Amino acid sequence: MMIKINHLYQLLFISIFLTACEVNNDKQEIDSHVDSEETYIPEWAKDASIYEVNMRQFTEEGTFEAFSNHLQRIKDMGIEIIWLMPIHPISKEKRKGTLGSPYAVADYKAVNPEYGTLEDFDAMVNKIHDLGMKVIIDWVPNHTGWDNVWIEEHPEWYTKNDEGEIIDPIDYNTGESWGWTDVADLNYDNPEMRAEMIETLKWWINERNIDGFRMDVAHGVPDDFWKAANEELKKQGDIFLLAEGEVPKQRNEGGFHADYGWSVHHLLNEVAQGEKNADDIWAYYMEDTSKFEKGYHMMFTSNHDENTWAGTVFDRMGDAHKAMAVFTATFDGMPLIYGGQEEPLRKQLEFFEKDNIGFENYAYQDFYTDLLKLKKENAALWNGEYGAAPTRISNDPDVLFFYREKDENRVTVCINFTNSKKTISLAEDIRSQMNEIEMSESADLSENEIVLNPWGYIISTN
């Protein structure tokens, strides 16, 4: 088998790569992926990658119908799950900017008329399903917009100050406002609000035929709510639940299948900036797997928050951006592609205004397609308990060298985490053990060593 890769990186196909390499005797591995009679992750998500859609910015029209024209292309990239940023009407009261934040929801049971009608939404969902993909919607359970229908009908469902005034959300770390002044904080001490929130979530599954949710600010909502809500939601169908957060209890006990790999994402930014190295990545992983018992992280180089508030991948990662994308697609977890990265997206999108991505070149389309195809075709790279835990081969602090192996399938990855050329010594000549080889600018191979250019990488599979 040979997967064609663009000229900026290569794949080596090696039959017995591990035995030919100089392996550290004190090999580090984690047996965190074990077969069980009952899997935790939905079977349909076993090899899935996820694609985030900012409906307002995705097309010039900013509509469900216009976005639907991209679905076949996104499917062809190897995407299984479409994640839609909030599609609800946006509150006008205390709105930020001209168009407001999609996370200031005015009505949980309606769609933003700027995007289309409920019938347009249903047609888009049907097309996603017809193409064999799933769709999850972004849900905002922590707060609502100031003119949400709940405020007038049920003001007791909101958090109030000592004067009895509804307040915006408070940072639980500092006791001060987050600064999200365009939204009102919901009060999870109110059981009626909790019940209505769950019923409304069920409505989207049963009446609108969606396949799950990405829960915004999941870490700001009580864990006991998630345990009750997610149990009830799973009764409605074979759904997928993603938490915006990194709270072990919410995966271990709260029913979430996946959450954000925020910690490793920030580490990747620091590695790209020369502040951290491969040892830091591995130390993170060893600690992380000791805390999480179920599910996995969503791995990413960008998302809507990072792009708008922290910068593009080119701003944060520079020349390392493709090496980091290789990491997110091959290490433990489910890779995310933020809508526009395949163009690639070289600007920070406005959050409260119209700011079209402007698809034109799709210059990175093949790059991401090859990575996601690699993931899908190799069971060792699958998600959660369906895949295999990574095992580190070398302790070189500048190079992350690991393999993942399940049954007869092994994938080996070697990434240079520096802006300098690196040489990896091999124990013996491995050319005779290769099936196919494609050389490129990022690496070179001789009889006894691999040379990786700055931020170079090699992926091999048997």
Side-chain angles (χ1 to χ4, degrees), residues 7-233:
H7 71 282
L8 292 180
Y9 75 97
Q10 71 180 62
L11 279 87
L12 299 180
F13 293 85
I14 304 171
S15 299
I16 316 173
F17 187 86
L18 179 62
T19 58
C21 295
E22 183 178 351
V23 182
N24 186 286
N25 291 330
D26 187 22
K27 183 175 61 177
Q28 302 174 61
E29 61 182 307
I30 299 174
D31 186 19
S32 62
H33 295 251
V34 294
D35 294 327
S36 61
E37 295 182 2
E38 182 178 355
T39 55
Y40 182 67
I41 309 300
E43 196 276 339
W44 59 261
K46 67 182 181 183
D47 56 358
S49 300
I50 188 168
Y51 187 93
E52 181 185 4
V53 177
N54 184 333
M55 194 63 63
R56 175 190 289 165
Q57 318 297 30
F58 204 87
T59 62
E60 184 176 354
E61 300 86 349
T63 63
F64 299 132
E65 183 178 8
F67 165 67
S68 294
N69 295 327
H70 286 260
L71 285 172
Q72 183 64 59
R73 175 184 66 78
I74 294 171
K75 166 70 175 179
D76 292 343
M77 284 177 63
I79 295 295
E80 295 280 351
I81 304 173
I82 301 289
W83 154 27
L84 304 175
M85 284 175 60
I87 43 79
H88 307 292
I90 296 172
S91 287
K92 296 180 179 179
E93 185 176 347
K94 299 188 181 183
R95 173 178 286 189
K96 291 187 176 183
T98 305
L99 300 177
S101 167
Y103 293 87
V105 175
D107 187 343
Y108 282 120
K109 282 191 175 181
V111 296
N112 189 337
E114 297 169 8
Y115 302 161
T117 64
L118 268 175
E119 289 72 25
D120 294 331
F121 176 83
D122 292 341
M124 176 190 63
V125 170
N126 289 337
K127 186 171 182 178
I128 291 171
H129 288 159
D130 288 345
L131 288 170
M133 294 186 289
K134 304 289 186 178
V135 56
I136 67 174
I137 66 171
D138 213 325
W139 195 260
V140 191
N142 186 66
H143 47 262
T144 75
W146 285 97
D147 51 12
N148 188 288
V149 293
W150 284 6
I151 281 192
E152 183 175 350
E153 296 175 0
H154 299 283
E156 71 278 9
W157 289 1
Y158 290 81
T159 306
K160 299 179 181 181
N161 60 21
D162 293 339
E163 286 73 38
E165 301 166 325
I166 296 174
I167 62 173
D168 54 86
I170 299 298
D171 182 348
Y172 49 83
N173 295 307
T174 65
E176 302 294 331
S177 169
W178 283 103
W180 306 338
T181 55
D182 56 339
V183 294
D185 191 60
L186 286 167
N187 178 13
Y188 273 84
D189 291 334
N190 189 297
E192 293 179 355
M193 187 278 292
R194 288 186 175 216
E196 182 61 24
M197 181 70 74
I198 293 173
E199 288 303 309
T200 308
L201 287 162
K202 289 163 59 177
W203 182 85
W204 281 93
I205 298 172
N206 296 323
E207 300 298 326
R208 305 269 71 95
N209 203 26
I210 67 164
D211 303 293
F213 299 93
R214 178 265 190 190
M215 298 297 189
D216 184 61
V217 197
H219 54 281
V221 174
D223 294 336
D224 64 332
F225 172 77
W226 290 129
K227 185 173 183 179
N230 290 344
E231 279 183 9
E232 191 65 24
L233 294 178

Side-chain angles (χ1 to χ4, degrees), residues 1 3 5 9 11 13 33 41 44-50 77-81 240 296-299 325-337 367-388 404 406 409-411 413 459-461:
M1 180 188 70
I3 302 174
I5 304 297
Y9 75 97
L11 279 87
F13 293 85
H33 295 251
I41 309 300
W44 59 261
K46 67 182 181 183
D47 56 358
S49 300
I50 188 168
M77 284 177 63
I79 295 295
E80 295 280 351
I81 304 173
F240 183 77
Y296 48 84
H297 294 305
M298 181 179 72
M299 309 290 272
V326 169
F327 173 87
T328 63
T330 59
F331 206 68
D332 201 12
M334 178 176 67
L336 164 74
I337 308 300
F367 170 76
Y368 287 113
T369 299
D370 289 332
L371 280 180
L372 301 187
K373 181 181 179 183
L374 176 79
K375 179 182 180 65
K376 186 172 291 291
E377 292 182 346
N378 289 274
L381 300 183
W382 288 357
N383 301 324
E385 67 260 44
Y386 292 101
R404 296 175 66 185
K406 182 171 184 178
N409 180 233
R410 179 193 293 128
V411 178
V413 181
I459 308 170
S460 70
T461 176

